[in-house]
Amino acid sequence: MPKLSIDGREVEVPAGTNLIEAARLLDLEIPHFCYHPGLSVAGNCRMCLVEVEKAPKLQIACNTAVAEGMVVRTDSDKVKKARAGVMEFLLLNHPIDCPICDCAGECYLQDYYMEHDLKASRLEEGKNKKEKAQPIGPHVMLDKERCVLCSRCVRFTDEVSKTHELGIFGRGSTEEIALAPGKTLDNPYSGCVVDLCPVGALTDRDFRFKSRPWFLKETATICGGCAMGCSVVLDTNTNPYNKVGQDRAYRLFPRENREVNGWWMCDEGRYSHHSVDRGRSQGPRLRGKGVPADFALARLAAEAAPLVKAHPGRAAFLLSPRLTNESLFAFRRLAESLGVAQVEFGDDLKAEGRADGFLIQADRNPNSRGARELGLGPRPGVLGGRDLLKAAQGGAFDVVFVLEHALDPAALKALAAATKVLAGFHVQEPVEAGIYTVHLPLAHAFEQDGTFTNVQGRVQRNRKALEPLGDSLPAYAWAQRLGAALGVPQAPDGPEALFRAWTQGRPELAGAVFEPLAAAAPAAA
Amino acid sequence: MPKPKMTFVERLYLPEISKGLALTSRHFFRNLWHHSLASLGLESRDRAMVTIAYPEVRRPYPLVARSRHRLTKREDGSPKCVACMMCATACPADCIFIEAEEHPDPAIEKRPRHFDIDMSKCVYCGFCVEACPEDAIRMDTGSFELAYFDRKGLVYDKEFLLNDDPHAVPAHAEPLSRGN
């Protein structure tokens, strides 16, 4: 491995590493606009100029590979002058409309101006005017004036989404980013160009004017939109005008995780945070009527406990691949203490979409693999989801617990008619909530701690970013309260204790810790 | 806090009373002298102490005094504010709440849908005025009399903040003076 010195500090990096990445290992930030580790090197912004000994001119750090004995300076006067010069060019026609720009606060131009420029404009002629606030796709707004022509978005559509919607047109000061003729930026990953854009040229139409980024609280969590489980950051804040009186989700964007999603995520996942407020089930219901949770549980216990105790074989749990490993484990433990053998997660009932061979998986549930690995999948002596429903509709069960399954109303009616007690647990209020004997609200994935096992077999930590809405609770908490009501008290374990319990006896997860999990996650299978 | 102990002279009562009466009398005769001279036109009224019959009579406030906020307007009467939230960011009392929306004119792009200031939290520091890049908020209405039967009256909304009348009362508030 080549050894080089950057600003007098020695560092040894693999051959082929560029200087920006090498400097990063020393916690040195070489300013750059066009370079992105997930894209090819363009080398057009000229912001990353550094001095390399024995090179006649300054070199761009993004396209200079390390070499043995290289001596690099990133803090010499020559470099500082070059950076200030580049900043002056980039800001020449920039409208400086930061007050109305959504990027303000997370803008490279703002940061680098403060760090490397700090001069007033010397431009005496008027600035170039270009189009502002042009919607170029369902999710992205383009402001051509703010663009620094780094071409990150163009390279993204060429190299990652491979849809080629964007291009750079014109020359000189009329050069601009624009859509290719007849195209709109509507690929399934279009939102990524907003994250890529180092300035405010591409902004998110969904997040437009919603909040200033510095007001938002970041939570590193997992997207629950499909089995891929992309690493994401969820931004939350209170909004005095939304009347909920607690923090709400503002936006979701990908977090770098080279093992899973790289730097990207799909639009479907990106805007899935709206589900936190969409049609939520907020209060327990007894035959459709809103009641306090204790009352609902007491009535459920009064009706179900004698039946389950008399014939544990005539009770069934239909769990869901949308629940965390901890919740699945808690329900499995509850079923065991009740003596109920029929515990299944409805692998054949789960929502399926189309896989695209990149990030989007056909399985639109975050934890199918986790449920299978917990031993809740199809197995001898236990009916699968579809067979279970058929048997239940035929009157094979007295008590059925359904968690997070959007069953069609006809099937549900038949199910309710054939069973004595039908208990439902859902995140979203089912249209036919009245069909359930008791319906209890579940917390959204963003409202609870836990783990999901993605399609690669990585156990990934889901973090609580919001307080559960209304009376909703995570499924493991309902399992504990249900156990107490049914006369089989469960250990009052939090998600961490449940995690320790379910990972015990799993040699591949030996040593895994709940907080933080990233370091101990098993390698991709 | 313990009560301060009085000295022997203080406890005698009469010396302290006469000291107080002497002070009051000195002011009385001094004012009598200056007012007499002033009414004879021998001196300006400035040297005599005056009691201002507030609220019927008011002294002019200095121009730099920070009073109740107002939002400045464009020529068409709409607020100059572009909802950049600099004031809400600078506010140490966290009393400014803004929700932005799209402006129909693409040259302006952004405007406030809601702009509320909770005057019961405001500390009159003037940071919001300093932070504003558009000169859209000022504290020059000369209005300090913020008293309502209800805390809601102290939450000023965008429509109310757009007027610069120092005696204006928000429509949703019941002023203390009513019925007096």
Side-chain angles (χ1 to χ4, degrees), chain A residues 10-193:
Chain A
E10 296 272 307
V11 64
E12 206 175 327
V13 290
T17 313
N18 65 45
L19 290 180
I20 292 185
E21 296 296 341
R24 233 173 232 169
L25 296 176
L26 293 171
D27 280 336
L28 276 174
E29 156 92 357
I30 296 180
H32 56 274
F33 290 95
C34 69
Y35 172 73
H36 189 280
L39 302 170
S40 64
V41 172
N44 59 3
C45 74
R46 316 310 288 182
M47 191 63 197
C48 63
L49 286 168
V50 291
E51 206 175 338
V52 180
E53 208 174 77
K54 291 183 194 131
K57 295 197 287 182
L58 297 180
Q59 303 290 311
I60 46 172
C62 63
N63 204 21
T64 306
V66 294
E68 184 61 44
M70 202 178 222
V71 179
V72 181
R73 295 230 61 101
T74 71
D75 56 356
S76 66
D77 287 342
K78 215 168 152 189
V79 172
K80 284 179 187 164
K81 204 176 154 205
R83 284 177 187 164
V86 170
M87 281 306 292
E88 187 165 14
F89 273 129
L90 291 177
L91 287 169
L92 202 60
N93 283 308
H94 189 80
I96 325 210
D97 55 351
C98 309
I100 56 164
C101 178
D102 264 347
C103 199
E106 44 189 15
C107 173
Y108 285 32
L109 271 178
Q110 285 185 331
D111 293 350
Y112 293 161
Y113 174 80
M114 296 309 288
E115 212 173 321
H116 306 296
D117 192 10
L118 273 183
K119 282 195 311 281
S121 174
R122 287 188 287 169
L123 184 72
E124 287 172 6
E125 298 78 21
K127 292 191 176 193
N128 272 349
K129 292 278 170 213
K130 285 179 190 168
E131 281 176 301
K132 293 183 78 69
Q134 295 291 307
I136 54 168
H139 306 303
V140 183
M141 193 74 107
L142 169 66
D143 187 309
K144 291 179 180 174
E145 276 186 353
R146 294 178 190 152
C147 178
V148 293
L149 295 163
C150 70
S151 81
R152 275 186 183 187
C153 53
V154 178
R155 280 176 283 148
F156 176 82
T157 55
D158 286 345
E159 294 162 15
V160 181
S161 72
K162 301 193 173 70
T163 43
H164 315 284
E165 291 105 338
L166 292 169
I168 298 182
F169 302 89
R171 316 191 77 186
S173 61
T174 60
E175 198 173 358
E176 59 182 31
I177 292 282
L179 286 170
K183 291 210 171 183
T184 49
L185 187 64
D186 53 2
N187 70 64
Y189 296 89
S190 68
C192 291
V193 298

Side-chain angles (χ1 to χ4, degrees), chain A residues 392-409:
Chain A
Q393 284 161 1
F397 297 104
D398 293 330
V399 184
V400 177
F401 296 89
V402 180
L403 283 97
E404 257 310 74
H405 272 286
L407 303 175
D408 69 278

Side-chain angles (χ1 to χ4, degrees), chain A residues 97 99-100 102 132-133 141 143 146 208-210 212 214-215 239-241, chain B residues 82 84-86 89 97-102 108-110 114-116 133:
Chain A
D97 55 351
I100 56 164
D102 264 347
K132 293 183 78 69
M141 193 74 107
D143 187 309
R146 294 178 190 152
R208 188 167 167 82
F209 300 161
K210 290 273 160 60
R212 285 306 202 175
W214 56 82
F215 291 135
N239 176 346
Y241 300 108
Chain B
V82 295
C84 71
M85 319 218 180
M86 285 299 127
T89 305
F97 308 99
I98 306 169
E99 193 173 64
E101 66 176 357
E102 199 84 27
I108 301 171
E109 224 176 309
K110 198 177 175 189
H114 296 287
F115 191 112
D116 295 344

Side-chain angles (χ1 to χ4, degrees), chain A residues 409-427:
Chain A
L412 201 60
K413 252 181 217 142
L415 190 62
T419 52
K420 289 184 181 138
V421 178
L422 179 63
F425 300 75
H426 292 92
V427 175

Side-chain angles (χ1 to χ4, degrees), chain B residues 46-165:
Chain B
D46 294 358
R47 298 197 60 185
M49 281 187 198
V50 213
T51 302
I52 292 174
Y54 183 89
E56 288 78 17
V57 183
R58 290 159 194 263
R59 287 182 63 183
Y61 297 119
L63 284 173
V64 292
R66 294 190 291 266
S67 48
R68 189 266 283 169
H69 311 72
R70 70 179 169 106
L71 290 176
T72 56
K73 291 179 241 185
R74 295 174 196 277
E75 276 176 12
D76 64 354
S78 65
K80 262 191 188 171
C81 173
V82 295
C84 71
M85 319 218 180
M86 285 299 127
C87 51
T89 305
C91 182
D94 214 359
C95 70
I96 306 180
F97 308 99
I98 306 169
E99 193 173 64
E101 66 176 357
E102 199 84 27
H103 196 286
D105 180 357
I108 301 171
E109 224 176 309
K110 198 177 175 189
R111 70 176 179 192
R113 177 182 294 141
H114 296 287
F115 191 112
D116 295 344
I117 302 183
D118 186 346
M119 297 305 292
S120 61
K121 283 188 187 168
C122 177
V123 294
Y124 291 88
C125 65
F127 284 7
C128 48
V129 182
E130 294 290 321
C132 185
E134 304 282 328
D135 187 23
I137 187 166
R138 292 192 194 169
M139 296 181 78
D140 59 357
T141 51
S143 164
F144 298 89
E145 292 149 359
L146 314 176
Y148 304 96
F149 279 119
D150 191 318
R151 273 167 215 237
K152 270 185 294 185
L154 283 160
V155 181
Y156 288 171
D157 60 7
K158 184 178 78 180
E159 284 64 38
F160 180 74
L161 288 166
L162 276 168
N163 81 66
D164 46 11
D165 172 11

